[in-house]
Amino acid sequence: AALNPWDVMLCVSGTAIACENALVVAIICYSPALRTPMFVLVGSLATADLLAGLGLILNFVFQYVIRSETVSLLTVGFLVASFAASVSSLLAITVDRYLSLYNALTYYSERTVLCIHTMLAGAWGVSLCLGLLPVLGWNCLHDRAACSVVRPLTKSNVTLLSASFFLIFLIMLHLYIEICKIVCRHAHQIALQQHFLSASHYVATKKGVSTLAIILGTFGASWLPFAIYCVVGDPDYPSVYTYATLLPATYNSMINPIIYAYRNQEIQRSMWVLFCGCFQAKVSFRSRSPSDV
């Protein structure tokens, strides 16, 4: 088959995603200090995005090297499970950040660790089930009329995936609004105690709210176009529309390591230690909680 430039761009995107997130996974596995619940969640997100990047690469290879219906179903199911795990991990991180502020006194307890592990087990379990659906028969290989804009997924399948995304997006939006309220309330309490709101507190509050807006805005801008098109699109539409909305969705997995990992000072230090074993930090690094955004 002729080489499709869109497939090439997806493959390049998958390669970048895999490289970025493989480094994050290596850093977290290499550093014993990064075993806190927050980094477990970041590791889950990086693992999901790493698998998604590998899935994009495998999809390209099998599409042009090994053309098989079975392989096509396996790669599509693998991609669905990986991206679903990525979105679910983002939701788990949002819940963790909310809990770290709402229950600050009891956050560092065994109950929190159990809650996070339960969330991750549920997220990966649901993602795996979603990925198995097309493999187990929920596909349109033998009924082209049931196909969606993403072959070989059926219309009902992509509708379920889109509805799940919209639900997750709304939950994240609600939680981030609550986080902003808590941050502003803390700033107001500090202002009452000190009889004024200092410039540093104002800047920190503004920065925190802006960062939350960037996180949610990046997530929505990446996935919303594709999720909406999956619902309103028709399989008879030109495939360029599917590619044009799917490609930005993959960029979210490329941006996630920058937002959730590389900005963290402890991961930065571990990265230096990983590449330069004799490095001795001259700047003290404090332990950051999930609420430090």
Side-chain angles (χ1 to χ4, degrees):
L3 198 63
N4 189 333
W6 287 100
D7 289 329
V8 175
M9 286 189 287
L10 285 175
C11 183
V12 172
S13 177
T15 304
I17 291 170
C19 293
E20 277 185 300
N21 288 280
L23 179 58
V24 176
V25 173
I27 291 172
I28 293 177
C29 293
Y30 173 81
S31 306
L34 304 181
R35 295 291 186 270
T36 62
M38 177 181 66
F39 290 112
V40 171
L41 292 171
V42 173
S44 172
L45 176 63
T47 301
D49 287 332
L50 169 61
L51 295 176
L54 294 176
L56 291 173
I57 298 173
L58 292 175
N59 183 65
F60 177 84
V61 172
F62 291 138
Q63 186 173 355
Y64 290 96
V65 178
I66 305 174
R67 301 182 62 86
S68 167
E69 291 184 352
T70 302
V71 173
S72 176
L73 284 176
L74 290 175
T75 54
V76 168
F78 185 79
L79 284 170
V80 169
S82 300
F83 281 118
S86 175
V87 174
S88 300
S89 296
L90 287 174
L91 176 60
I93 290 176
T94 306
V95 173
D96 181 57
R97 284 180 167 175
Y98 174 74
L99 292 177
S100 69
L101 288 171
Y102 186 76
N103 296 323
L105 296 178
T106 59
Y107 175 76
Y108 294 98
S109 64
E110 294 183 1
R111 183 177 179 181
T112 300
V113 175
L114 177 62
C115 177
I116 289 175
H117 288 167
T118 303
M119 281 196 303
L120 287 181
W124 280 91
V126 172
S127 301
L128 181 61
C129 291
L130 291 174
L132 287 175
L133 289 178
V135 180
L136 296 178
W138 204 359
N139 58 70
C140 62
L141 292 179
H142 305 293
D143 184 12
R144 295 187 63 84
C147 281
S148 66
V149 294
V150 184
R151 295 184 178 88
L153 300 181
T154 63
K155 295 177 182 178
S156 55
N157 195 341
V158 297
T159 300
L160 172 64
L161 295 174
S162 298
S164 301
F165 168 80
F166 292 136
L167 178 61
I168 290 176
F169 181 76
L170 290 176
I171 294 175
M172 290 179 63
L173 177 61
H174 172 72
L175 290 177
Y176 275 130
I177 291 175
E178 293 299 319
I179 289 174
C180 288
K181 290 180 180 179
I182 295 174
V183 171
C184 293
R185 191 184 310 129
H186 287 176
H188 180 67
Q189 291 173 350
I190 293 174
L192 292 177
Q193 292 174 358
Q194 299 182 352
H195 305 293
F196 67 94
L197 183 61
S198 64
S200 60
H201 289 139
Y202 173 77
V203 171
T205 302
K206 183 179 179 181
K207 181 181 177 181
V209 174
S210 301
T211 303
L212 293 176
I214 292 174
I215 291 173
L216 192 63
T218 301
F219 177 65
S222 299
W223 278 105
L224 276 176
F226 180 67
I228 294 174
Y229 182 69
C230 284
V231 176
V232 303
D234 189 272
D236 293 329
Y237 291 169
S239 60
V240 64
Y241 297 154
T242 303
Y243 283 112
T245 53
L246 176 60
L247 188 61
T250 65
Y251 292 159
N252 187 66
S253 296
M254 197 182 302
I255 299 173
N256 283 339
I258 300 174
I259 295 178
Y260 295 97
Y262 294 133
R263 292 174 60 251
N264 186 282
Q265 292 182 344
E266 294 186 15
I267 287 186
Q268 291 174 4
R269 179 179 61 178
S270 298
M271 190 184 307
W272 278 107
V273 173
L274 179 63
F275 289 108
C276 308
C278 59
F279 174 78
Q280 294 182 351
K282 297 181 180 180
V283 182
S284 61
F285 293 87
R286 66 183 181 89
S287 179
R288 292 159 57 98
S289 69
S291 58
D292 292 331
V293 295

